[in-house]
Amino acid sequence: MVNKKGALFHWIIFGVLAAFGLFFILANPLEMGYSIKGQWQSDFLKNYYLISEEEMLKTDLNAKLIIKQAVLDLSQKGGFNQKSECPTINNYNVWNKITDWKKCSPEPEKELIAGIKSKLLLSYPLRTYDLKLDGLSVYGKSNSESLSRSTNKYFLKYSYYPHFRITLDFDPKKDYETLKGEALELVNSCRNVKNLEKCITDKRKNNWKFKDCTAEKYTEQDRSVLFCVTSPQQVKIYDTNSKLIPLTYLFALDFTATIPFPIEKLDADVDLKNGFVEIIFDQDKSADSYNIYFTDYTFISSNTGTVAELKEKVFSGYFWSYKELKNSELISDPTKCASGVIKEKNKGYLCLDKVYYTLSDSKLQLNKDYLVAVTTVKSIKESEINSFFKFKYT
Amino acid sequence: MIPKKAMMDDLFDFLFTVMVLFFILIFVNVALVYGQQQKETQSVYYLEQVKVNDALLNFLRLPVTLSEDKQANMLDIISLVDVNTNRDERIKAFQDNAKIYFSNKFPGSEYWEGGYPWKISVYGLNEPLDDLSSLYNSYGYNTKSTCDPTDTQSSYSYIIKLKKVDGQEVNLVFCIYKSYLENRASNKNG
């Protein structure tokens, strides 16, 4: 028989074992004090730091796509986001108004920034970007964004700034500056030339095309011509169909002449029977009036220049006279255009865009040689004399 | 006086108790140490996942020189921004750079599950992930990988949605075997 002391000792063993069992069941010592080290930190890195890095990476990509699209859109509107203050022709913005380039030519930096801003706002409505264009780089500074989580134990907020700096492989402003310079040169060279198409074709650079860069077509409206010009920096850009295309600029230029055009082709037909010389020349619709000069000093027949210069060359004893004919006074009556029809003296008749002026003057004498020239007058300004026509009043 | 038999009984009870306590403590010690190692391995494994994500993000910023000395990065190549090069050159640039970069990041001298432990691919958004006609596909050197991003039991994948120049989205998928990461974690911990 086991004594009392032995029995107590015996049962203590089972008590200790039971205590261990209970401890294992209730406390799970495998988990006690051995939580995964750095789990919170790993979780933070993965779900906050790296997520924000991914977002900033996507911001960089989206910003790049947006900037390129804005550059492309702007070039297609001739450098304007909205309609410019100046007129448009077939949706082509006109870059100048006669000689005024300040009001109508685009400000590429301002317009490009506005274009990028509006596109960024569509992609990121909660962000406010402050944009700066500096050479090849576009800087975007934004307000901060944050990722946050709230639990019973803690509140976590991770903030970051989704700024970007995109470096382009071309300077978007440089193309506009080059094009403005070339446009100014072209307008100055051709604005006072009557045959505009020929002048532009001769003077333009190779990357300048009319209206459409692939199928060019000369389009002129009130001396404003439509252009499609490929990038002087030869920039190529992807369009929305993933097609790599050359960057082209669509705009129009105003070639309104600052001085009236001289009359280039002149003819004269003496009609002694009716007592006048019929002077024939092309009508200039832009002119207010014509001055028909005639002189008996025939030694200046091959001279050209202003009226004052040529008049000065006429020796004393010879006459230098003129008649004025207003465009509005032209008689547009087809019945008067037929040959043999009696016409009034010193009147202008319009027949198929040609002016027939019946010059009659007491200074004209039989069997004598005379020179005749015609100038156009527009807003007080008078054109030069381009050529004389010599005739014998016989 | 206590009889001899009772004394022997007590002695054996005592010895038995000591032995039982000895084995219990050994068991507890082994269990606790193993548990701790497991947790530490798991902790390193989590860190390995962070490294995978970080590696992929850095890969996208990797600078690349293309023909005519044109500078771009992997992000540009995938999204077609800034890359005036043909598709073949883009694919080659993607594959070559991915092979060098990820082989350095996740080296493995032996084949893993019959191939290489990682795989990186770019898919159109509507293409199934296992479609082999993906836009770009890259594996380890000289071998293919069987890592399947849809098998979340055996692989860890990090997917980034990226926008292309045409406005379409693509999935950039990096897949790596969990067993490979666990092995790296236990080696680092061990």
Side-chain angles (χ1 to χ4, degrees):
Chain A
M1 189 191 156
V2 183
N3 65 9
K4 274 187 181 175
K5 217 175 174 183
L8 183 71
F9 197 70
H10 187 81
W11 285 109
I12 279 174
I13 294 167
F14 290 105
V16 168
L17 287 175
F20 266 115
L22 205 63
F23 172 72
F24 270 98
I25 290 164
L26 296 177
N28 192 6
L30 293 178
E31 297 294 327
M32 263 180 62
Y34 293 106
S35 59
I36 300 171
K37 282 176 186 167
Q39 190 180 12
W40 187 91
Q41 286 82 352
S42 301
D43 176 67
F44 171 77
L45 286 173
K46 204 172 165 184
N47 296 315
Y48 294 87
Y49 170 70
L50 288 177
I51 291 290
S52 68
E53 286 294 309
E54 187 184 322
E55 187 51 44
M56 285 195 278
L57 192 97
K58 287 180 177 176
T59 300
D60 275 0
L61 176 62
N62 286 342
K64 204 171 215 176
L65 293 170
I66 282 170
I67 290 165
K68 295 245 169 177
Q69 192 56 49
V71 168
L72 189 64
D73 287 354
L74 201 64
S75 71
Q76 295 301 294
K77 292 180 205 158
F80 291 93
N81 276 306
Q82 308 293 328
K83 269 196 167 181
S84 80
E85 288 178 35
C86 295
T88 58
I89 299 165
N90 290 0
N91 290 326
Y92 283 55
N93 282 301
V94 185
W95 276 11
N96 63 314
K97 198 172 182 183
I98 311 175
T99 52
D100 184 4
W101 290 80
K102 273 188 182 173
K103 201 175 160 191
C104 301
S105 63
E107 293 174 66
E109 184 168 352
K110 194 178 127 192
E111 295 287 342
L112 189 59
I113 283 176
I116 296 168
K117 229 174 195 177
S118 65
K119 285 181 198 299
L120 279 171
L121 197 67
L122 286 176
S123 297
Y124 303 105
L126 298 176
R127 293 182 195 170
T128 312
Y129 273 102
D130 183 17
L131 298 170
K132 192 182 156 197
L133 193 65
D134 185 15
L136 301 178
S137 298
V138 182
Y139 299 87
K141 220 173 162 186
S142 165
N143 51 328
S144 71
E145 282 217 332
S146 47
L147 301 164
S148 59
R149 186 165 68 181
S150 182
T151 69
N152 293 334
K153 291 178 184 171
Y154 60 85
F155 172 73
L156 191 152
K157 185 178 178 184
Y158 182 78
S159 297
Y160 62 98
Y161 289 91
H163 301 331
F164 62 80
R165 191 192 81 173
I166 304 298
T167 304
L168 299 167
D169 47 5
F170 63 96
D171 183 349
K173 282 189 289 183
K174 201 176 167 189
D175 268 357
Y176 286 95
E177 282 159 15
T178 310
L179 290 180
K180 265 192 215 174
E182 289 174 0
L184 185 68
E185 207 175 300
L186 191 65
V187 170
N188 285 343
S189 304
C190 294
R191 67 152 41 106
N192 292 323
V193 177
K194 204 170 181 185
N195 190 343
L196 200 51
E197 184 179 358
K198 189 181 180 303
C199 180
I200 295 170
T201 308
D202 292 345
K203 300 266 169 80
R204 69 181 173 173
K205 293 205 167 179
N206 287 339
N207 57 326
W208 284 66
K209 305 283 175 206
F210 293 120
K211 196 180 178 188
D212 191 326
C213 283
T214 47
E216 70 169 329
K217 189 187 172 193
Y218 180 76
T219 310
E220 183 190 329
Q221 189 181 308
D222 297 331
R223 295 215 30 111
S224 285
V225 182
L226 309 186
F227 288 100
C228 170
V229 186
T230 49
S231 158
Q233 294 177 87
Q234 296 180 324
V235 174
K236 285 188 171 179
I237 207 160
Y238 275 96
D239 66 3
T240 46
N241 300 318
S242 303
K243 202 178 162 195
L244 194 63
I245 53 163
L247 186 62
T248 54
Y249 298 86
L250 304 179
F251 57 90
L253 294 176
D254 178 12
F255 288 87
T256 301
T258 49
I259 54 165
F261 297 118
I263 297 293
E264 280 161 1
K265 275 186 183 172
L266 193 65
D267 205 357
D269 194 9
V270 180
D271 188 348
L272 276 179
K273 195 179 152 191
N274 292 310
F276 58 76
V277 184
E278 199 168 49
I279 317 289
I280 307 149
F281 54 91
D282 290 329
Q283 187 199 17
D284 183 347
K285 286 173 184 166
S286 66
D288 299 330
S289 62
Y290 308 91
N291 285 338
I292 296 111
Y293 292 91
F294 54 102
T295 177
D296 54 350
Y297 188 73
T298 55
F299 306 104
I300 53 168
S301 61
S302 56
N303 289 25
T304 56
T306 62
V307 172
E309 285 167 359
L310 294 170
K311 193 180 171 185
E312 227 171 59
K313 288 181 179 171
V314 176
F315 278 27
S316 60
Y318 293 88
F319 76 86
W320 171 272
S321 189
Y322 80 101
K323 304 271 184 192
E324 190 190 358
L325 169 68
K326 287 184 177 161
N327 237 341
S328 57
E329 289 171 354
L330 286 172
I331 300 161
S332 186
D333 180 1
T335 58
K336 296 283 181 187
C337 295
S339 61
V341 176
I342 297 166
K343 291 173 184 163
E344 278 185 68
K345 287 175 185 171
N346 293 325
K347 294 277 179 193
Y349 295 87
L350 186 64
C351 300
L352 296 170
D353 290 339
K354 280 197 180 292
V355 177
Y356 292 78
Y357 183 74
T358 50
L359 173 68
S360 175
D361 195 276
S362 57
K363 293 188 195 83
L364 297 174
Q365 291 172 10
L366 268 173
N367 296 323
K368 230 181 142 184
D369 286 333
Y370 296 97
L371 292 181
V372 66
V374 181
T375 60
T376 52
V377 179
K378 189 180 175 187
S379 309
I380 318 169
K381 286 182 182 172
E382 186 174 13
S383 74
E384 291 187 346
I385 290 175
N386 220 19
S387 63
F388 283 99
F389 187 84
K390 192 176 177 182
F391 68 92
K392 194 170 207 154
Y393 193 61
T394 183
Chain B
M1 189 185 164
I2 304 162
K4 257 190 179 178
K5 194 178 176 260
M7 273 181 72
M8 287 298 284
D9 251 6
D10 285 349
L11 185 67
F12 279 114
D13 277 349
F14 177 71
L15 285 174
F16 176 73
T17 307
V18 168
M19 279 172 68
V20 166
L21 283 174
F22 177 73
F23 283 114
I24 285 171
L25 288 174
I26 282 179
F27 170 74
V28 167
N29 181 52
V30 167
L32 290 178
V33 167
Y34 178 75
Q36 185 189 3
Q37 274 181 344
Q38 283 286 94
K39 299 285 177 187
E40 280 173 7
T41 302
Q42 210 164 0
S43 166
V44 181
Y45 173 70
Y46 283 150
L47 217 56
E48 287 297 320
Q49 288 186 349
V50 171
K51 280 183 184 170
V52 168
N53 292 16
D54 190 45
L56 189 60
L57 290 174
N58 285 329
F59 172 68
L60 289 173
R61 293 202 189 269
L62 200 70
V64 190
T65 304
L66 296 161
S67 55
E68 295 169 8
D69 287 334
K70 187 157 179 61
Q71 296 294 318
N73 58 32
M74 300 311 297
L75 199 61
D76 297 335
I77 285 183
I78 295 165
S79 63
L80 299 178
V81 184
D82 260 351
V83 186
N84 302 355
T85 41
N86 61 39
R87 181 180 152 84
D88 290 344
E89 189 180 352
R90 286 200 302 271
I91 292 173
K92 192 175 181 311
F94 178 85
Q95 289 179 338
D96 289 353
N97 284 285
K99 277 173 188 172
I100 296 167
Y101 180 83
F102 289 109
S103 294
N104 283 332
K105 286 274 175 189
F106 305 105
S109 56
E110 57 193 339
Y111 290 102
W112 207 271
E113 309 276 345
Y116 221 70
W118 57 267
K119 182 167 98 172
I120 181 165
S121 316
V122 181
Y123 299 91
L125 206 62
N126 298 321
E127 288 176 27
L129 292 181
D130 54 353
D131 187 354
L132 290 175
S133 65
S134 63
L135 304 176
Y136 310 111
N137 224 325
S138 191
Y139 315 102
Y141 279 113
N142 304 323
T143 179
K144 289 202 168 186
S145 170
T146 51
C147 190
D148 178 6
T150 56
D151 181 6
T152 51
Q153 288 293 315
S154 61
S155 66
Y156 172 73
S157 298
Y158 183 31
I159 301 174
I160 302 179
K161 276 190 175 60
L162 294 169
K163 204 182 255 185
K164 277 199 312 171
V165 75
D166 55 5
Q168 304 266 326
E169 281 191 326
V170 288
N171 279 317
L172 174 71
V173 184
F174 184 79
C175 176
I176 192 160
Y177 277 110
K178 273 185 179 172
S179 55
Y180 174 82
L181 290 182
E182 281 160 1
N183 187 50
R184 262 164 70 100
S186 60
N187 284 344
K188 281 180 183 169
N189 200 32

